[in-house]
């Protein structure tokens, strides 16, 4: 299974195809990715996967996987935290929801 990294930002080099991705985890080095859409990815939380790390390179090489959303958006930041710690957060299936008790019109007060 691939390890995915979540961005806190991306350094854009104007006129270039190679850019530096900044992982959320500061202990992980920046990752060089190739993209012609870097301006669109700037300001977004993105997911990147490391492909290789050449011996003669300061940075590992990776590729863009997907966009999570805008930097600073509460829902996106929550998703990043859940993803970083491998906490399942997908919606429950209809079969699981069907097992829940039906909503009561007269809720019981808990004391």
């Amino acid at each position: 299974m691939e390890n995915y990294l979540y961005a806190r930002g991306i350094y854009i080099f104007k006129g270039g195809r190679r850019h530096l991705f900044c992982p959320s985890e500061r202990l992980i080095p920046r990752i060089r990715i190739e993209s012609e859409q870097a301006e669109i990815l700037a300001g977004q939380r993105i997911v990147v996967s490391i492909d290789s790390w050449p011996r003669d390179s300061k940075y590992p090489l990776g590729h863009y996987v997907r966009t999570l959303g805008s930097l600073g958006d509460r829902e996106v930041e929550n998703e990043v935290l859940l993803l970083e710690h491998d906490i399942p957060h997908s919606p429950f299936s209809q079969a699981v929801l069907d097992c829940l008790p039906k909503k009561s019109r007269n809720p019981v007060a808990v004391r």
Side-chain angles (χ1 to χ4, degrees):
M1 185 169 162
E2 291 183 272
N3 289 322
Y4 295 114
L5 304 167
Y6 312 97
R8 70 174 191 268
I10 185 170
Y11 290 114
I12 299 173
F13 298 105
K14 297 285 184 189
R17 291 190 61 211
R18 292 185 173 187
H19 311 282
L20 289 178
F21 164 88
C22 300
S24 295
E25 177 58 56
R26 295 183 190 270
L27 297 176
I28 298 173
R30 294 181 187 122
I31 301 158
R32 188 178 311 278
I33 62 171
E34 288 192 28
S35 175
E36 293 179 1
Q37 300 179 358
E39 289 81 15
I40 296 170
L41 299 178
Q44 300 288 314
R45 285 282 193 173
I46 63 172
V47 179
V48 166
S49 181
I50 294 176
D51 298 322
S52 64
W53 195 334
R55 289 182 186 221
D56 61 343
S57 176
K58 184 175 180 180
Y59 304 111
L61 303 176
H63 69 274
Y64 165 85
V65 176
R66 68 183 174 110
T67 300
L68 298 173
S70 298
L71 282 169
D73 180 87
R74 181 179 291 171
E75 291 297 319
V76 172
E77 299 300 331
N78 286 340
E79 184 176 1
V80 169
L81 286 172
L82 295 171
L83 288 167
E84 285 178 338
H85 297 285
D86 294 325
I87 299 171
H89 65 284
S90 57
F92 291 114
S93 68
Q94 190 58 45
V96 171
L97 294 174
D98 290 341
C99 292
L100 294 174
K102 302 298 178 208
K103 289 184 180 178
S104 172
R105 290 187 176 173
N106 301 320
V108 177
V110 178
R111 296 177 190 206

